[in-house]
């Protein structure tokens, strides 16, 4: 564990214990805090946009604590009662906020006379990461933990070290956009979303692979995939994981576009809009596939490094292969087969996917954000 994480654990055991005691004696205001230790994104961003679109700032003061607070302050400078602040200010605002939302990390203070909601950033498939396993267990940091169906409730208690009574079924705010109208054009692209293999930010790797792409695919092999895409008049957008350590040089292809997190933000690309308007998805062990089942479109899973990944990171669910309702890609030929199926509008796993979608996504209507606010008493 690196020094930064050691300091965070020390602070959680000492300073924030005192903060939890102080929090009991501070009156709460009609105030919403959305707290993120990174940029405002994912479920936090979807929630924020819903609050703004529906003018909740007329009833509540809304604070967003995130690393891109300067940019957001400029973008929303004309809105009253909406404030963008840094992490330290975010901790301060926690004490007076009636509602606190997370989708990444948390402030390790025990709630008092407030609702503290962990939305998280995906349902559970991969095992708990190495840092999370070292975090203090069974502190009651949340009044509500959101999952998408009954089958995730028990897993939530393991991931978030919470009692099952605080786990609520709602659905994820970020998927509401799937039910909005996209561009009225025929989609010609496949989205490929690898989970990370190595991360300098986290200080560890989840496999022994030296490649950055799904299933240990090299850039050289991607050239062959690029040639087939060109022949079939399809495109592919490869969105790399925000935590993935990147090489110094990424090749340029004719029909494949490889995007880092910085590229995506620089081009104002929103991942869930890309997914909504895509033709199909390729992923591996990223839990995004649960969300993509809502779109009822083909999925392929690159699992060439399954045994290696299982040995290093592992999975929190039993029999993980049974969750993957789509093509299994272990070779270039498998990749070619999937691309050809997409070009020919074939969908072999449609019925399996629909049946499993009903198990992992209770709500399939695009009203998750509204439903969440109603459940916790924001009106």
């Amino acid at each position: 564990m690196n020094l930064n994480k050691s300091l965070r654990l020390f602070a959680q055991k000492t300073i924030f214990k005192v903060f939890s005691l102080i929090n009991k004696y501070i009156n709460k205001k009609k105030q919403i805090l959305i707290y993120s230790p990174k940029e405002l994104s994912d479920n936090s961003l979807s929630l924020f946009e819903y609050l703004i679109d529906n003018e909740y700032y007329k009833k509540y003061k809304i604070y967003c604590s995130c690393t891109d607070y300067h940019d957001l302050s400029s973008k929303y400078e004309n809105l009253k009662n909406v404030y963008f602040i840094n992490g330290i200010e975010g901790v301060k605002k926690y004490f007076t906020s009636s509602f606190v939302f997370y989708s990444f990390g948390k402030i390790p203070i025990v709630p008092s006379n407030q609702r503290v909601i962990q939305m998280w950033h995906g349902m559970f498939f991969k095992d708990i990461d190495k840092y999370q396993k070292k975090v203090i267990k069974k502190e009651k940091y949340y009044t509500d933990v959101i999952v998408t169906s009954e089958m995730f409730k028990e897993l939530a208690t393991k991931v978030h070290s919470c009692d099952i009574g605080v786990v609520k079924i709602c659905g994820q705010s970020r998927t509401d956009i799937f039910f909005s109208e996209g561009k009225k054009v025929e989609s010609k692209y496949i989205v490929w979303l690898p989970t990370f293999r190595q991360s300098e930010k986290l200080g560890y790797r989840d496999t022994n692979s030296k490649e950055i792409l799904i299933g240990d695919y090299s850039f050289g092999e991607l050239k062959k995939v690029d040639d087939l895409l060109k022949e079939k008049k399809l495109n592919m957008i490869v969105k790399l994981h925000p935590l993935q350590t990147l090489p110094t040089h990424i090749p340029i292809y004719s029909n494949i576009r490889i995007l880092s997190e910085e590229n995506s933000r620089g081009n104002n690309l929103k991942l869930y809009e890309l997914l909504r308007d895509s033709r199909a998805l390729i992923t591996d062990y990223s839990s995004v596939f649960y969300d993509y089942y809502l779109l009822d479109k083909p999925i392929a899973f690159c699992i060439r490094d399954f045994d290696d990944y299982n040995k290093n990171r592992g999975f929190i669910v039993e029999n993980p292969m049974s969750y993957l309702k789509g093509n299994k890609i272990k070779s270039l030929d498998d990749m070619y087969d999937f691309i050809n199926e997409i070009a020919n509008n074939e969908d072999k796993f449609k019925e399996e996917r629909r049946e499993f979608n009903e198990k992992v996504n209770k709500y399939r209507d695009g009203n998750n954000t509204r439903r969440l606010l109603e459940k916790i008493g924001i009106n």
Side-chain angles (χ1 to χ4, degrees), residues 3 7 21 37 51-52 106 140 144 165 173 179 222 298 317 322 335 350 361:
L3 179 61
L7 290 173
L21 291 174
L51 292 173
I52 299 306
K106 64 181 178 295
K140 300 182 185 299
D144 305 87
S173 180
F179 299 86
L222 279 190
V317 300
S322 68
M335 177 72 79
K350 194 176 190 70
N361 292 301

Side-chain angles (χ1 to χ4, degrees), residues 190-191 193 275 278-284 286-302 323-329 338 341-342 346-350 353 356-357:
I190 299 167
V191 174
L193 297 179
L275 292 174
S278 65
R279 187 84 164 263
L281 172 68
I282 300 174
T283 187
D284 48 13
S286 169
S287 63
V288 69
F289 69 87
Y290 292 131
D291 296 347
Y292 203 77
Y293 285 153
L294 288 165
L295 290 170
D296 195 24
K297 295 179 181 181
I299 306 180
F301 300 91
C302 283
Y323 285 62
L324 310 181
K325 307 301 182 181
N327 295 55
K328 310 301 188 297
I329 297 178
F338 182 66
E341 288 176 19
I342 299 306
E346 297 178 25
D347 189 355
K348 297 178 179 178
F349 294 88
K350 194 176 190 70
R353 199 175 57 240
F356 199 66
N357 180 44

